[in-house]
Amino acid sequence: MKALILVGGYGTRLRPLTLSVAKPLVEFGNKPMLLHQLEALVEAGVKHIILAVSYRAEQMEQELKNVEEQLGVKISISLETEPLGTAGPLALAKDLLTQDHEPFFVLNSDIICDFPFKQMVQFHKHHGRQGTIVVTKVDEPSKYGVVVYDPENGRIQKFVEKPQEYVSNKINAGMYILSPSVLDRIELKPTSIEKEVFPFMANDNDLYAMELQGFWMDVGQPKDFLTGMCMYLSSLREKSPDLLHNEEGIVGNVLVDPTAKIGRNCRIGPNVTIGPDVVIEDGACIKRCTILRGARVRSHSWLESCIIGWRCVVGRWVRMENVSVLGEDVTVKDELYINGGRILPHKSISDSVPEPQIIM
Amino acid sequence: MIKTIILIGGPMKGTRFRPLSLELPKPLFPVAGYPIIHHHIEACSKVPHMKEVILIGFYQPNDALNKFISNVQQEFKIQVRYLQEYTALGTAGGLYHFRDQILAGKPDSFFVMNSDVCGDFPLKEMLSFTVQKGGGSHCTVLGTEATRQQSLNYGCIVENKNTHEVLHYVEKPETYISTTINCGVYLFSPDIFCTLEKIFKKNQEDNYNCDPNMQMKETIRLEQDIFVPMAGSGKLYVYHTDRFWSQIKTSGAAIYANRHYLALYQNWHKERLARNGELKPQIIGDVYIHPTADVHPTAVLGPNVSVGKHAVIGEGARVRESIVLEGAVLQDHCCVLYSVIGWNVTIGMWTRVEGTPNDPNPNKPFAKVDVKDTFSPDGKLNPSITVIGSNVQVPSEVILLNAMVLPDKSLAGSCKNQIIL
């Protein structure tokens, strides 16, 4: 089977991180976001994965050369010269996708969950129609595209994009299996699959919903990135608890790369991910954060709900909170307070940011 | 023989210093480790023939005041006592009321000092200047420079540049008069009481002809009732100083005064300043630590920090530009900047307590500490020094930013730009 991952464009919602690194390569849980999906696809028997990309294709090709070898899978890049939306890329990759006449996976690249690829294949074969959409239950469905379907058999009746009144709490989880015949419905132009393809398939009773079990998160923006990290670490605790760190000063679910160093009298966790070559000095308190490769957090600082970018240096007695994000190579001087600050790469901060702000 | 009178006011005065002045008379608030008027009395003790310091105010007698008096008497070997006004009598009313005690022993001159000012008081020099002027009757005001705009907040003095005679005096004018301002320190000869008597008697007379709702008959205000008429009469002189001087009206001013008195210790009291050493906390700049305070060796203090009796500062704590009062406990890794931490307060681990300084504008010469209103015109709290009132428990891992917390409050979380009652 094949898979198409909609990688798309600039990843602007995850700036300032995506100013330095293409979004699929940003490390989530100490592994590039894309790799979580690739590994799960390979495990489900996928042999060829097509990345639909409209930006920074070369950076990704570079990084992914090793992955091809490691996972034993073929990775192709389908380059959009103009952004083609969520359906157009399928038309662009038509030749690749129809090679083996089999149904194929389509995934949004921002999705992290307990990937149900094997169940999807079974479910899709069982109903035998053109498409399967994975749906998931969320607390605030009005932010997403809501799916209305028959709970008996999963046949989708309609979609409501960002409903103004409560319709249902099941939303499109961004993972599909489509039969090659679906490609006849898609033209090679900027097209939205949710608005211009699925509704017609639903009318033809050709679209079915499979409910996802377990956690789900669209980690395309910092707030959700951190929430997703918490969910991911919880699921690690259940499935592979020995991957998590367990020492003095560690509280709750904490993932620490073996090359990272943590000082004395720290309090790390709950819900912290610490990347390779990171140094945490004595007396630091870190909660609900992702610390990316090579960063240094100096002594006595207190961080909550932050993403600290690659090679950053956070000074001593610094307080950071409220989804602050430091881009690559940012320096925060001693004794500052950063509240909801988004700091662009290579910046040196010497004044506090007491209210949420973007610092260029 | 010389005496000094220090006007210490009463609980109804110094309200902008709340909540710190709710529990301790403001003149006793410690700046650079010692009560405000301790610094006054120390300056007095350096004047030869200074025999007595009289504190006049309308506080009820209290332990803190009594203890203070017995301490300074012992330390400086001068007679010190407190005379309580039966009611607020104004800046000169108390002087007149206690004229017999003041004149006892026939002093040649006496200083009068406000307690809500602080500075490097040049009392000896003021005395020499006055003596040089000759003549028995003398009345000298200590003056300093301010900016044109800020001078409107003070008593303004117009002088003869050659003789230093005061030609004109206006208290808090509406329009610009002069950049020379009244420092609240005066030197009088005993015959000032003749003038005071005349005014007192006149007020008494006036009141039989006037409205019963008028202010107290016995109040006399030094500035309005004495200096204004005396200006231009050849009897009032001004002595200039450009040494450190500031009013202390707000806690922000206390932090500013703390910094300057600590700097003065470099010259006069090097032994009061903390020094770096093995097994000692890291000291940056001028820092005062009471000998009974317990500071962890990994803490970093300064510049411009005073730590009071029995205070405890934990591992990896950071304190800068702040006053930590007696019995306060700062737990591990906390960070205290531009704040006053009240008596017996606990600051939790990793907590950040931060205020905003109200320092004089560094671009303007002679600028004074800004006395801003508590609230801005659109109803927001003006950022200022954070003050934590006594016995407050501040939990761990929170931030208090530009906040004022009244005594005995138990905080639940972070607090920014607020007054917590």
Side-chain angles (χ1 to χ4, degrees):
Chain A
M1 267 186 87
K2 298 188 197 297
L4 177 86
I5 304 186
L6 297 166
V7 170
Y10 298 92
T12 57
R13 288 177 306 154
L14 209 48
R15 286 177 174 171
L17 298 174
T18 46
L19 291 175
S20 305
V21 166
K23 187 168 57 139
L25 301 177
V26 173
E27 294 94 330
F28 176 89
N30 284 349
K31 204 192 301 192
M33 271 167 58
L34 191 60
L35 205 54
H36 290 267
Q37 295 185 340
L38 293 181
E39 286 176 357
L41 286 168
V42 168
E43 213 198 296
V46 172
K47 295 279 181 237
H48 185 184
I49 299 170
I50 301 141
L51 305 181
V53 178
S54 62
Y55 178 64
R56 281 229 178 105
E58 331 77 50
Q59 190 188 35
M60 283 207 281
E61 269 180 321
Q62 279 275 41
E63 297 292 324
L64 296 172
K65 279 201 177 79
N66 301 335
V67 174
E68 272 185 310
E69 262 186 54
Q70 273 180 339
L71 298 180
V73 68
K74 181 164 182 326
I75 301 182
S76 309
I77 306 243
S78 169
L79 180 59
E80 300 160 37
T81 46
E82 57 161 343
L84 290 172
T86 42
L90 277 72
L92 184 63
K94 188 169 179 167
D95 295 333
L96 287 173
L97 290 170
T98 48
Q99 260 175 12
D100 55 3
H101 309 294
E102 276 196 20
F104 51 88
F105 290 99
V106 178
L107 312 182
N108 278 351
S109 62
D110 292 348
I111 307 304
I112 295 290
C113 65
D114 207 356
F115 297 105
F117 297 137
K118 293 206 184 103
Q119 297 97 296
M120 281 167 79
V121 174
Q122 277 180 329
F123 181 86
H124 188 78
K125 286 207 171 105
H126 181 78
H127 66 68
R129 307 293 299 206
Q130 273 194 347
T132 298
I133 300 186
V134 175
V135 298
T136 183
K137 183 158 91 161
V138 293
D139 288 335
E140 292 185 39
S142 67
K143 298 196 287 200
Y144 305 91
V146 170
V147 183
V148 181
Y149 60 96
D150 183 341
E152 299 279 304
N153 50 31
R155 198 179 68 239
I156 292 180
Q157 291 145 352
K158 65 173 174 176
F159 289 87
V160 187
E161 192 65 18
K162 295 190 182 41
Q164 288 182 320
E165 262 188 48
Y166 183 86
V167 175
S168 153
N169 59 7
K170 306 290 191 305
I171 60 147
N172 175 358
M175 294 178 283
Y176 330 120
I177 293 190
L178 302 176
S179 301
S181 48
V182 173
L183 293 169
D184 299 332
R185 298 180 184 261
I186 306 175
E187 277 179 51
L188 180 52
K189 66 176 176 67
T191 315
S192 159
I193 207 172
E194 299 90 351
K195 297 198 183 111
E196 299 172 64
V197 182
F198 287 160
F200 295 106
M201 288 171 72
N203 283 342
D204 296 341
N205 294 332
D206 252 327
L207 201 52
Y208 279 70
M210 185 188 99
E211 208 176 310
L212 175 69
Q213 307 301 320
F215 76 97
W216 176 90
M217 200 74 216
D218 172 343
V219 297
Q221 55 186 345
K223 184 159 88 73
D224 296 335
F225 185 99
L226 290 173
T227 308
M229 176 193 64
C230 297
M231 293 179 178
Y232 174 71
L233 291 176
S234 291
S235 91
L236 276 191
R237 169 70 66 190
E238 278 177 44
K239 301 232 164 80
S240 338
D242 15 278
L243 288 181
L244 293 178
H245 207 65
N246 221 333
E247 269 179 28
E248 215 189 299
I250 303 291
V251 178
N253 301 331
V254 174
L255 188 61
V256 181
D257 186 278
T259 58
K261 293 190 175 44
I262 300 179
R264 299 176 315 114
N265 294 332
C266 290
R267 187 191 300 163
I268 312 291
N271 296 319
V272 174
T273 302
I274 296 185
D277 301 323
V278 165
V279 176
I280 312 287
E281 291 185 6
D282 296 346
C285 178
I286 304 182
K287 306 158 113 161
R288 205 171 182 273
C289 293
T290 287
I291 319 278
L292 295 175
R293 170 193 293 271
R296 171 181 287 259
V297 176
R298 302 201 57 201
S299 34
H300 313 298
S301 284
W302 185 91
L303 276 51
E304 184 181 54
S305 291
C306 301
I307 304 177
I308 308 297
W310 311 267
R311 304 186 296 117
C312 287
V313 177
V314 176
R316 300 173 298 166
W317 294 288
V318 167
R319 179 185 175 97
M320 288 181 56
E321 58 183 350
N322 195 16
V323 194
S324 290
V325 184
L326 301 186
E328 183 187 8
D329 184 38
V330 165
T331 301
V332 178
K333 296 242 157 28
D334 293 349
E335 300 165 35
L336 297 185
Y337 172 51
I338 312 284
N339 173 20
R342 306 276 168 103
I343 320 288
L344 266 57
H346 311 294
K347 195 83 185 127
S348 178
I349 303 294
S350 23
D351 291 311
S352 288
V353 182
E355 290 302 312
Q357 228 186 90
I358 299 174
I359 306 289
M360 297 212 261
Chain B
M1 184 266 262
I2 317 229
K3 296 191 185 192
T4 298
I5 318 300
I6 303 182
L7 304 173
I8 66 171
M12 285 186 289
K13 292 281 167 198
T15 55
R16 270 177 293 176
F17 208 70
R18 292 174 174 174
L20 299 170
S21 53
L22 286 175
E23 314 202 39
L24 183 69
K26 181 171 132 192
L28 298 181
F29 183 81
V31 167
Y34 292 84
I36 292 174
I37 51 177
H38 186 283
H39 297 281
H40 286 52
I41 297 179
E42 185 167 343
C44 294
S45 71
K46 297 201 183 122
V47 179
H49 312 300
M50 181 67 68
K51 281 289 180 298
E52 180 176 44
V53 173
I54 299 176
L55 309 178
I56 296 183
F58 49 99
Y59 286 100
Q60 295 294 355
N62 61 72
D63 281 339
L65 194 52
N66 294 336
K67 245 165 84 171
F68 170 76
I69 292 175
S70 76
N71 285 342
V72 283
Q73 280 203 130
Q74 259 204 331
E75 186 172 345
F76 298 111
K77 311 278 187 274
I78 303 185
Q79 166 108 325
V80 179
R81 56 186 165 133
Y82 171 56
L83 299 176
Q84 182 186 357
E85 295 171 22
Y86 57 94
T87 184
L89 291 175
T91 38
L95 294 178
Y96 180 72
H97 185 76
F98 291 113
R99 57 198 177 282
D100 294 325
Q101 283 95 323
I102 295 173
L103 290 175
K106 295 205 187 16
D108 303 295
S109 308
F110 60 97
F111 286 98
V112 175
M113 304 174 82
N114 284 357
S115 62
D116 64 355
V117 296
C118 58
D120 192 6
F121 303 116
L123 300 181
K124 262 203 304 207
E125 293 82 343
M126 215 170 142
L127 185 58
S128 313
F129 163 84
T130 304
V131 162
Q132 266 183 343
K133 286 278 160 218
S137 178
H138 51 263
C139 190
T140 305
V141 176
L142 182 67
T144 191
E145 286 301 295
T147 64
R148 276 181 76 111
Q149 212 173 2
Q150 286 180 324
S151 68
L152 304 181
N153 298 320
Y154 300 91
C156 294
I157 298 171
V158 178
E159 60 160 342
N160 175 322
K161 292 272 183 260
N162 297 322
T163 62
H164 300 296
E165 185 200 329
V166 174
L167 301 173
H168 191 58
Y169 180 93
V170 185
E171 183 66 18
K172 295 190 181 51
E174 278 180 16
T175 55
Y176 168 72
I177 301 281
S178 159
T179 52
T180 304
I181 59 168
N182 173 4
C183 289
V185 176
Y186 320 106
L187 180 60
F188 295 120
S189 57
D191 58 3
I192 190 72
F193 284 110
C194 302
T195 318
L196 286 173
E197 182 175 347
K198 280 203 203 89
I199 302 207
F200 181 80
K201 296 211 163 121
K202 178 171 179 295
N203 284 350
Q204 295 281 336
E205 288 298 325
D206 278 349
N207 276 295
Y208 285 107
N209 310 328
C210 281
D211 161 11
N213 293 328
M214 246 195 76
Q215 76 166 80
M216 285 299 313
K217 307 178 236 190
E218 280 88 26
T219 58
I220 310 176
R221 298 159 305 168
L222 204 47
E223 302 81 2
Q224 291 89 332
D225 300 328
I226 310 289
F227 294 151
V228 170
M230 227 193 227
S233 68
K235 299 219 198 85
L236 187 60
Y237 287 83
V238 57
Y239 177 74
H240 279 272
T241 180
D242 52 14
R243 288 171 18 186
F244 151 60
W245 178 88
S246 177
Q247 266 190 334
I248 301 196
K249 296 274 191 216
T250 60
S251 35
I255 294 285
Y256 176 76
N258 186 52
R259 177 163 113 220
H260 279 274
Y261 274 135
L262 286 172
L264 287 180
Y265 288 170
Q266 290 279 358
N267 301 333
W268 306 117
H269 281 290
K270 250 203 141 118
E271 77 287 356
R272 288 186 187 168
L273 292 175
R275 268 173 303 187
N276 280 301
E278 239 188 81
L279 298 182
K280 288 213 215 141
Q282 187 187 348
I283 304 293
I284 304 174
D286 301 326
V287 173
Y288 167 82
I289 306 179
H290 193 277
T292 59
D294 174 10
V295 183
H296 197 276
T298 58
V300 180
L301 304 185
N304 304 321
V305 171
S306 297
V307 179
K309 216 192 279 192
H310 302 306
V312 176
I313 300 192
E315 188 175 334
R318 178 83 183 94
V319 185
R320 180 157 65 89
E321 305 283 350
S322 296
I323 297 176
V324 178
L325 295 174
E326 189 175 327
V329 175
L330 273 51
Q331 292 182 349
D332 299 350
H333 317 297
C334 70
C335 184
V336 175
L337 311 171
Y338 289 107
S339 300
V340 177
I341 308 297
W343 301 269
N344 304 312
V345 164
T346 305
I347 305 290
M349 292 172 68
W350 283 292
T351 280
R352 182 183 181 94
V353 181
E354 181 181 359
T356 303
N358 295 121
D359 284 351
N361 185 342
N363 295 320
K364 294 210 172 127
F366 309 120
K368 303 282 170 268
V369 173
D370 239 339
V371 186
K372 281 203 285 227
D373 289 330
T374 311
F375 289 94
S376 68
D378 55 345
K380 293 213 176 114
L381 197 59
N382 271 326
S384 67
I385 300 290
T386 285
V387 177
I388 314 290
S390 66
N391 298 313
V392 170
Q393 304 286 310
V394 182
S396 296
E397 301 181 47
V398 301
I399 177 169
L400 299 182
L401 176 63
N402 300 331
M404 196 173 299
V405 185
L406 263 60
D408 302 308
K409 186 73 188 157
S410 201
L411 290 176
S414 294
C415 165
K416 296 185 207 166
N417 303 301
Q418 279 187 319
I419 301 177
I420 307 282
L421 289 177

